[in-house]
Amino acid sequence: MAKFAIDLKSGDIKNEAELIVGIDLGTTNSLVAYIKNGQAEAVKGKNGKSTLVPSVVHFSPEGKIVVGDAAKEKLISDPENTIYSVKRLMGKSYGDVQGVQQYFGYQIIDNDTESLVKIRVKDKFYTPIELSAEILKALKNRIEEELDRVVSKAVITVPAYFNDSQRQATRDAGKLAGLDVLRIVNEPTAASLAYGIGLDQSESHTIAVYDLGGGTFDISILRIQDGVFEVLATNGDTFLGGDDFDRAIVDYWTAENKLDSTQINADKELSQALRLQAEKAKKALSSESEYRGEVNTISCQITREQFDELIQPLVDRTIACCQNALKDAQVQLADIDRVIMVGGSTRVPLVRESVGQTFGQEVYDKVNPDEVVALGAAIQADILAGNQKDILLLDVTPLSLGIETVGGLMDIILPRNSKIPTRVGRRYTTSVDGQRNLKIAVYQGERDLIQHNRKLGEFILKGIPPMPAGLPKVEIQFILNADGILKVKAEELRSNVEQEIEVKPTYGISEEEMALMLIDSIQNAADDMTVRALLEARNEANNIVLSAERFLGQNQEILNEEEIATTRSLTQALRDAVAGTDKDAINQAMETLNTYTAPLAHRAMDFALLEAMKGKQI
Ligand code: ADP
Ligand code: MG
């Protein structure tokens, strides 16, 4: 049956059903999937072999760009021109990756530590966004060939811990590849969708998603309620994965055959051949109990038991991460309804058994762990295309967002864990008479003082017509879209002067920093409260000093000398208190001044009223 879709903007009827594809842009492998006859399916290449596209980009001497299996073959023979693991560099500054530069076989450079990294290939420089775009183009080609039609819309997955700038970079890579990225989805969210978890909005679940790939390990604890996926905690190790299993096997064969490891490492071709043989052995051991092979007369033998022994310490490290994630999420083991296995390395029986034991339940591993994220992305894409009615999936913000107010205080506009997409507005005013410009500085974090939070950007609302302090009505709106990208809009409502920015952080924060910011806010909550109380007392006192001065200026004729002198000295006492750091002293001085001036103010008001009555004509 043919499907028809109506474009709601133009009213046109399109004769092909809208197609949005799902993409898993992985560190080691990437995939593209779509819904075929109601079922999510990952697309194989022309040779029909595998659904996986190795996330490797090779630049040939003639400047030709090759992606995937053919590029992977060049990893050893032409390392400087073969880029792998580019996902690790997305949205990162040079400062972020300095410590791990030796891990990459290619050159990462930059002129200053705050801007985003670039990769040098021959005499050209590429951003991680451009390189990821090459991988995305290969996936786009793959599905276009399969379906024989143009594909221009996609959903792309990212790790749950990716921050704003890493998400934005992923979205930009899509744009560069000619894809309209309709949604950025968390990988664990996609994995749970592939199992149908979260599709029924009346159900709630707490799930653990264990993702062991080629070079990275992530554990995420999610709570799914009313169609909202909330990331309770993430943990992991960005340098732990199946590659380490391969290395352990190579080391084992080296020792068994009494070979010299430095000699082997020096022979690039031999070490590559051994690595490939080790990966083959590892995969075989996922279903068999023994492997026998040979590389250049070197005997390559290993049993499942021996392999398990080699990788036990690595598996133990992932289990420790799981326990930390549970602690951070403040959930008990018994609260976890499901444990989902993601990533090629979860095919290793010891991994599955250890995870099952840790969580005390059978793990979910029926959906191919290589494909599960891409399949979930395809389901999310199908929902967005409107093919699955009544399902709306929402994520939540991981950190609070707000602006700086007087005294360097953080005023939270969108609290952490707010559902997105969302739009929130709040009214502000000026603090100085005739103020024409208002600086709006946007911050992310949980602390009370902006200096402890992370600045996302700032802009100036210019051209407010001069008005007394407190009169302008400035509405600040935070509009957070479904990818977690923030737009901030400011408008002075009396004059309709307005200004807006899209917040793209200048450089990325790592997941550790994000976690630190949260921990920091908890540990410093008491301190922050004291500081906030002091700043608030000062702000209030300053306003009272101002009104006292205005009062004295306007009511000279109804006050006697003693009253004027006392008001002056009490105002000065309040000023002195504001200069100090004792909030109780400030409050005390405010109270004294208020108590003394209250009857004077009453008298002034009566007088003004009398004057007004006199002048009134009927
Ligand atoms: P990523 O998400 O980081 O891109 P993948 O999920 O594609 O990574 O996982 C790739 C890893 O999975 C590689 O180390 C690969 O050797 C490993 N792997 C794939 N199949 C198997 C298998 N049958 N047994 C064990 N490991 C496997
Ligand atoms: Mg993955």
Side-chain angles (χ1 to χ4, degrees):
M1 196 182 74
K3 271 195 189 170
F4 292 92
I6 298 171
D7 184 331
L8 290 177
K9 271 193 207 129
S10 64
D12 290 346
I13 292 177
K14 295 177 280 184
N15 52 10
E16 254 179 340
E18 168 133 78
L19 176 67
I20 308 174
V21 299
I23 290 178
D24 171 7
L25 185 60
T27 310
T28 315
N29 295 302
S30 299
L31 302 89
V32 58
Y34 72 112
I35 303 290
K36 181 180 179 182
N37 303 327
Q39 280 283 317
E41 191 179 295
V43 182
K44 288 184 178 134
K46 259 192 301 212
N47 58 20
K49 248 174 44 201
S50 170
T51 54
L52 304 180
V53 174
S55 304
V56 184
V57 182
H58 177 252
F59 293 81
S60 78
E62 310 84 52
K64 219 179 115 213
I65 296 176
V66 182
V67 174
D69 287 309
K72 194 179 172 182
E73 285 166 17
K74 303 286 179 186
L75 271 177
I76 287 290
S77 60
D78 191 14
E80 285 109 73
N81 301 314
T82 312
I83 316 299
Y84 58 92
S85 287
V86 68
K87 185 174 179 178
R88 295 181 188 278
L89 302 175
M90 288 293 261
K92 297 271 176 132
S93 71
Y94 189 61
D96 291 334
V97 297
Q98 240 166 357
V100 292
Q101 159 98 64
Q102 79 285 352
Y103 173 86
F104 300 91
Y106 45 88
Q107 227 185 336
I108 306 169
I109 53 128
D110 224 307
N111 31 9
D112 69 86
T113 50
E114 290 223 346
S115 60
L116 298 171
V117 293
K118 289 193 186 69
I119 292 143
R120 187 187 175 133
V121 184
K122 296 194 185 84
D123 52 359
K124 284 217 181 100
F125 302 100
Y126 298 91
T127 61
I129 294 173
E130 291 170 289
L131 296 164
S132 298
E134 292 301 331
I135 299 168
L136 291 172
K137 275 185 216 165
L139 295 169
K140 182 175 186 283
N141 283 341
R142 174 175 277 215
I143 190 155
E144 285 180 343
E145 265 175 21
E146 161 92 4
L147 300 177
D148 196 22
R149 64 178 277 192
V150 174
V151 170
S152 60
K153 292 180 176 173
V155 164
I156 305 181
T157 57
V158 296
Y161 62 77
F162 256 30
N163 63 32
D164 263 9
S165 83
Q166 292 168 301
R167 284 165 200 261
Q168 184 64 46
T170 305
R171 177 174 265 281
D172 290 347
K175 205 180 291 166
L176 212 56
L179 288 169
D180 187 3
V181 182
L182 297 184
R183 188 76 69 94
I184 298 284
V185 180
N186 288 331
E187 287 163 12
T189 299
S192 75
L193 286 176
Y195 277 100
I197 301 168
L199 289 176
D200 183 343
Q201 307 222 350
S202 62
E203 290 178 2
S204 53
H205 310 269
T206 306
I207 65 167
V209 180
Y210 178 103
D211 182 347
L212 189 60
T216 58
F217 167 63
D218 302 323
I219 171 81
S220 312
I221 312 290
L222 305 186
R223 175 166 295 147
I224 304 156
Q225 220 164 11
D226 307 321
V228 177
F229 286 75
E230 181 183 357
V231 180
L232 297 181
T234 63
N235 208 297
D237 189 329
T238 45
F239 288 93
L240 174 60
D243 299 347
D244 298 292
F245 295 179
D246 305 344
R247 261 190 290 275
I249 296 177
V250 172
D251 290 347
Y252 171 77
W253 286 337
T254 308
E256 284 292 293
N257 290 287
K258 302 199 170 51
L259 300 169
D260 182 353
S261 62
T262 34
Q263 226 166 2
I264 289 187
N265 287 338
D267 185 342
K268 280 186 180 175
E269 241 163 76
L270 177 62
S271 55
Q272 164 76 339
L274 282 169
R275 284 256 310 272
L276 289 177
Q277 184 77 206
E279 189 178 8
K280 204 169 147 200
K282 171 185 76 176
K283 288 182 179 172
L285 290 177
S286 289
S287 49
E288 279 144 52
S289 60
E290 196 179 355
Y291 179 82
R292 281 166 192 276
E294 212 181 66
V295 170
N296 298 358
T297 71
I298 298 170
S299 130
C300 298
Q301 246 191 58
I302 187 165
T303 65
R304 166 90 65 88
E305 263 171 32
Q306 285 157 338
F307 174 62
D308 285 354
E309 202 177 306
L310 292 178
I311 62 165
Q312 186 71 57
L314 299 169
V315 176
D316 289 347
R317 269 165 62 194
T318 69
I319 299 298
C321 292
C322 294
Q323 267 138 5
N324 287 334
L326 284 171
K327 212 185 298 157
D328 289 349
Q330 294 185 319
V331 298
Q332 305 296 318
L333 259 180
D335 300 334
I336 301 288
D337 307 318
R338 275 158 215 186
V339 182
I340 296 179
M341 303 305 267
V342 177
S345 300
T346 60
R347 287 232 171 81
V348 173
L350 180 71
V351 170
R352 264 183 291 155
E353 285 155 21
S354 305
V355 178
Q357 258 163 32
T358 304
F359 286 93
Q361 58 185 287
E362 287 252 324
V363 297
Y364 274 55
D365 59 0
K366 295 283 172 293
V367 179
N368 182 338
D370 296 317
E371 297 181 352
V372 63
V373 168
L375 298 177
I379 294 171
Q380 167 75 76
D382 200 46
I383 294 168
L384 286 178
N387 298 334
Q388 300 192 22
K389 291 270 141 33
D390 305 329
I391 300 179
L392 182 69
L393 299 167
L394 298 169
D395 273 311
V396 296
T397 56
L399 291 169
S400 300
L401 295 161
I403 63 168
E404 173 180 4
T405 55
V406 181
L409 281 175
M410 169 90 171
D411 199 28
I412 290 178
I413 295 185
L414 265 178
R416 67 187 285 256
N417 286 339
S418 300
K419 286 179 197 176
I420 52 177
T422 186
R423 171 192 285 261
V424 186
R426 187 172 296 175
R427 294 273 176 87
Y428 293 88
T429 188
T430 51
S431 54
V432 178
D433 286 339
Q435 192 172 337
R436 308 211 49 166
N437 297 332
L438 194 67
K439 187 183 84 177
I440 291 127
V442 183
Y443 285 83
Q444 183 178 43
E446 308 310 314
R447 299 284 301 274
D448 272 348
L449 291 179
I450 48 111
Q451 69 187 90
H452 297 131
N453 290 330
R454 173 171 180 250
K455 188 171 189 173
L456 295 178
E458 68 172 41
F459 65 102
I460 292 172
L461 180 63
K462 289 194 188 113
I464 304 171
M467 283 181 253
L471 210 57
K473 286 189 192 162
V474 179
E475 178 159 285
I476 310 271
Q477 277 199 47
F478 273 39
I479 302 140
L480 195 56
N481 74 13
D483 304 329
I485 290 163
L486 178 68
K487 193 189 271 182
V488 179
K489 214 166 132 179
E491 183 181 2
E492 201 290 300
L493 299 174
R494 294 180 191 276
S495 58
N496 294 328
V497 174
E498 67 170 42
Q499 193 86 39
E500 67 175 55
I501 52 163
E502 189 161 301
V503 175
K504 286 188 201 170
T506 46
Y507 71 98
I509 41 168
S510 62
E511 63 190 295
E512 293 91 82
E513 280 175 288
M514 185 126 104
L516 271 180
M517 281 165 81
L518 279 176
I519 294 167
D520 224 40
S521 75
I522 296 161
Q523 283 170 349
N524 292 291
D527 272 0
D528 276 6
M529 246 152 72
T530 326
V531 178
R532 182 177 272 271
L534 176 62
L535 287 174
E536 278 173 355
R538 277 186 184 152
N539 287 345
E540 198 183 338
N542 281 330
N543 282 336
I544 288 181
V545 168
L546 274 179
S547 12
E549 279 166 351
R550 204 173 285 161
F551 177 74
L552 280 176
Q554 287 166 355
N555 298 291
Q556 292 282 346
E557 70 267 39
I558 61 154
L559 300 173
N560 67 35
E561 258 172 51
E562 197 207 316
E563 285 165 342
I564 294 175
T566 311
T567 307
R568 284 226 170 95
S569 80
L570 289 178
T571 309
Q572 186 53 45
L574 179 55
R575 267 203 214 93
D576 293 343
V578 168
T581 55
D582 183 352
K583 88 165 191 316
D584 294 333
I586 299 174
N587 285 328
Q588 184 62 53
M590 255 191 302
E591 171 113 25
T592 314
L593 177 61
N594 267 337
T595 318
Y596 182 77
T597 52
L600 306 186
H602 274 287
R603 199 194 314 148
M605 213 130 83
D606 290 346
F607 182 75
L609 217 64
L610 222 64
E611 287 291 296
M613 299 280 277
K614 262 195 233 155
K616 211 169 231 168
Q617 298 196 334
I618 302 170

